[in-house]
Amino acid sequence: MKQLASLILGLALVTTSLAAEKKYPTAEHLQNVSVTIRSEGEYSNGEGSGVIFTRKDKDGNLVNLVWTAGHVIDNLRSTRRTVVNGRPNTVVEFKDPMVIKEIRQNGRTVGRLQMDAEVLKYSDAKDGHDLALLRVRKLDFVTDTVEFYLEDKIPSLGDDLLHVGSLLGQMGANSMTDGIYSQHGRLIRSLNKFVFDQTTCTAFPGSSGGGVYLKSNARYVGMLVRGAGEGFNLIVPVRRMKDYCEKHKIMWALDSNIAMPTDDDLAGMPIEHAPKEKEETKTVEEEAAKKAFPFMIRITNNKHPLGKK
């Protein structure tokens, strides 16, 4: 009997230990796929969050793609006018943002990896999807990768969620918060013509571009982009990202089963579809919506044109 009791107790301890360990790999995994995005523009600096999607190219190299919010890097955008075949053409160009990954060991930060990244795709926050796809310029930067929720069924209201992002910028890198899926399909026409989903995951400036994940399996269901308060935040749902990728033939940026294009193909791919010069006109409705949802959840430090802060 004593041996049987010891065996039962041992099995109980193993089961308890395994249950306790389930949470740690999820947290560690989400930390490993989360990065800070720093955009150092001519007149402003910004910091937001990003998520790493790692896959192999046709040569077998590990390529690190990073998804972030379009407005996190919009201060790096510039345009120039050219003439192609006798017709005026607008060329969109971006300075390289920086991707920063924090390294932790034994409960403390022990260093950072920082790499330049090129902007492959950009969709603006006002008329587009507020998305940006980056590629780290160095191959094999990291091996960790996010898994996207690509099923047709939308996650249910009330599902438990986790958010990992650079809350308050780099000083809060890899901060984790939780919440629930609180609503689907918010359409705020004066902000954007596309739908958002709503979450109670706590977010702060710097959260923009950070992932929101199902707590049950750590799959990515959306990107935090805008908020009205700590517990009322809007995400670009992954189904919207999927629509964008399918329309522009870049599903390889969400699904590693789809072959990645060659460097030559990428070089010929437009960064921004239907580019236009930025307009500063604002309607009364837009101003009212921005008061209701005031936060594009990033950190921005303006710089003086002459270099003075």
Side-chain angles (χ1 to χ4, degrees):
M1 289 296 292
K2 286 184 178 180
Q3 289 180 340
L4 180 60
S6 298
L7 179 61
I8 292 173
L9 178 60
L11 288 173
L13 289 173
V14 169
T15 303
T16 303
S17 175
L18 289 174
E21 288 177 359
K22 284 182 180 178
K23 293 182 179 178
Y24 178 73
T26 296
E28 183 180 47
H29 166 67
L30 296 183
Q31 299 266 313
N32 287 338
V33 299
S34 300
V35 291
T36 301
I37 307 299
R38 181 172 295 160
S39 57
E40 296 187 354
E42 185 176 359
Y43 300 118
S44 67
N45 293 335
E47 287 186 344
S49 304
V51 175
I52 297 175
F53 178 53
T54 301
R55 52 160 308 150
K56 289 186 178 181
D57 63 14
K58 291 185 176 181
D59 297 322
N61 299 307
L62 278 183
V63 178
N64 298 121
L65 304 170
V66 180
W67 281 99
T68 188
H71 70 261
V72 168
I73 62 162
D74 63 5
N75 63 320
L76 303 180
R77 179 183 181 272
S78 63
T79 60
R80 57 186 173 87
R81 301 289 289 176
T82 63
V83 176
V84 179
N85 297 326
R87 295 184 178 181
N89 183 50
T90 300
V91 177
V92 176
E93 297 173 322
F94 280 85
K95 290 179 60 180
D96 282 0
M98 287 179 281
V99 175
I100 304 168
K101 179 174 172 57
E102 249 186 33
I103 308 300
R104 285 186 171 82
Q105 182 176 301
N106 298 326
R108 62 165 293 169
T109 299
V110 294
R112 295 168 188 83
L113 298 176
Q114 178 175 303
M115 291 290 165
D116 292 342
E118 61 179 319
V119 179
L120 296 180
K121 298 296 289 185
Y122 168 82
S123 184
D124 75 286
K126 181 179 177 182
D127 299 310
H129 287 273
D130 198 4
L131 296 172
L133 174 64
L134 318 178
R135 179 174 65 168
V136 176
R137 289 198 177 273
K138 182 187 181 303
L139 296 172
D140 307 316
F141 175 50
V142 295
T143 58
D144 305 288
T145 185
V146 68
E147 181 182 354
F148 295 99
Y149 180 93
L150 299 178
E151 297 176 19
D152 291 333
K153 182 180 181 297
I154 300 174
S156 301
L157 295 184
D159 279 355
D160 290 327
L161 302 175
L162 295 171
H163 162 56
V164 179
S166 300
L167 279 64
L168 300 180
Q170 181 61 41
M171 63 87 63
N174 288 9
S175 296
M176 179 174 285
T177 68
D178 66 356
I180 63 168
Y181 222 120
S182 50
Q183 194 49 270
H184 302 129
R186 292 285 188 204
L187 186 58
I188 307 166
R189 293 187 183 278
S190 48
L191 279 180
N192 189 281
K193 61 184 177 181
F194 300 104
V195 298
F196 298 93
D197 285 352
Q198 181 185 332
T199 178
T200 62
C201 285
T202 303
F204 280 87
S207 287
S208 273
V212 175
Y213 311 87
L214 290 172
K215 196 172 186 178
S216 59
N217 56 23
R219 286 196 288 174
Y220 180 110
V221 295
M223 178 191 297
L224 264 170
V225 291
R226 189 179 281 272
E230 289 181 23
F232 190 123
N233 295 301
L234 301 178
I235 67 173
V236 175
V238 72
R239 65 184 182 278
R240 204 174 109 187
M241 296 172 67
K242 186 178 175 182
D243 289 343
Y244 172 76
C245 290
E246 287 176 342
K247 179 178 179 181
H248 299 298
K249 297 180 174 56
I250 59 167
M251 271 301 293
W252 46 265
L254 292 179
D255 186 351
S256 58
N257 293 315
I258 299 174
M260 187 171 176
T262 64
D263 284 348
D264 289 340
D265 292 333
L266 289 176
M269 183 178 69
I271 296 177
E272 182 178 352
H273 292 267
K276 61 182 182 180
E277 300 298 330
K278 290 187 177 180
E279 298 175 358
E280 298 299 328
T281 56
K282 299 176 182 178
T283 67
V284 174
E285 285 186 351
E286 287 174 343
E287 287 300 298
K290 287 179 180 178
K291 287 180 181 178
F293 297 91
F295 309 118
M296 281 188 173
I297 321 171
R298 67 172 175 181
I299 294 285
T300 302
N301 295 316
N302 292 326
K303 296 195 295 187
H304 191 278
L306 298 180
K308 300 176 182 179
K309 292 192 176 181

